[in-house]
Amino acid sequence: IRTWSKGEGDYLSNSDYIIVHVLENAPSSETVTPIYTDSIAAHYKVWTIPSTSYRDGKVFDSSYKEPFDKDLAVAARFYVGGGLIDGFTTAVQNMRRGDVWEVYIPYQLGYGTEPKDDIPGYSTLIYKIMLIDHWSE
């Protein structure tokens, strides 16, 4: 588990930080992370936490089709400071090219209390993010 905005033992609420499970580390030669004014290319999949209605969680968006094929998948492109949810923005600003993370985002850093499209209000989100590239515009 990694935290960037709090020191160890400073946790006051689970609503102001994300939880990261590193699935794959970037090569050690990659040392630079995107900043707020950068753009990124990434593969991602997002779903809600498991519930009685959705035993494995409900997938509501993905940049690729399962099973993932790196030769066929086209990475999504985002401006980091361009209206992404806070939890996603926090995660990608701490990733390096080649990192693959599973990120748990509380509703306060996601879409909040109101439903948005297929996402129920108060949804904790799980993202699988594969950072392919980042650049300054």
Side-chain angles (χ1 to χ4, degrees):
I1 298 175
R2 296 182 179 179
T3 179
W4 293 277
S5 60
K6 298 199 171 290
E8 294 298 320
D10 289 342
Y11 304 112
L12 300 176
S13 167
N14 65 353
S15 65
D16 57 359
Y17 61 92
I18 61 174
I19 296 173
V20 172
H21 294 271
V22 176
L23 303 177
E24 293 179 34
N25 281 310
S28 59
S29 60
E30 290 293 337
T31 58
V32 179
T33 60
I35 61 174
Y36 193 76
T37 56
D38 283 351
S39 292
I40 63 165
H43 295 295
Y44 72 93
K45 177 177 160 182
V46 59
W47 63 99
T48 58
I49 60 171
S51 66
T52 54
S53 300
Y54 300 99
R55 197 168 72 156
D56 296 323
K58 179 182 179 186
V59 175
F60 61 87
D61 196 14
S62 181
S63 67
Y64 57 89
K65 297 205 181 292
E66 295 286 356
F68 177 73
D69 183 336
K70 69 177 181 167
D71 295 324
L72 296 177
V74 176
R77 295 174 180 262
F78 301 102
Y79 174 63
V80 176
L84 302 171
I85 61 170
D86 290 343
F88 187 91
T89 299
T90 299
V92 298
Q93 287 183 95
N94 288 282
M95 296 178 77
R96 299 172 294 141
R97 286 181 191 95
D99 275 338
V100 180
W101 289 1
E102 187 173 85
V103 182
Y104 290 73
I105 300 173
Y107 74 90
Q108 296 92 334
L109 299 176
Y111 291 104
T113 60
E114 297 298 319
K116 178 166 173 54
D117 301 324
D118 291 342
I119 308 164
Y122 298 98
S123 290
T124 296
L125 306 174
I126 305 169
Y127 274 84
K128 181 178 181 182
I129 306 168
M130 297 171 256
L131 185 62
I132 305 303
D133 199 7
H134 60 91
W135 61 92
S136 297
E137 293 287 330

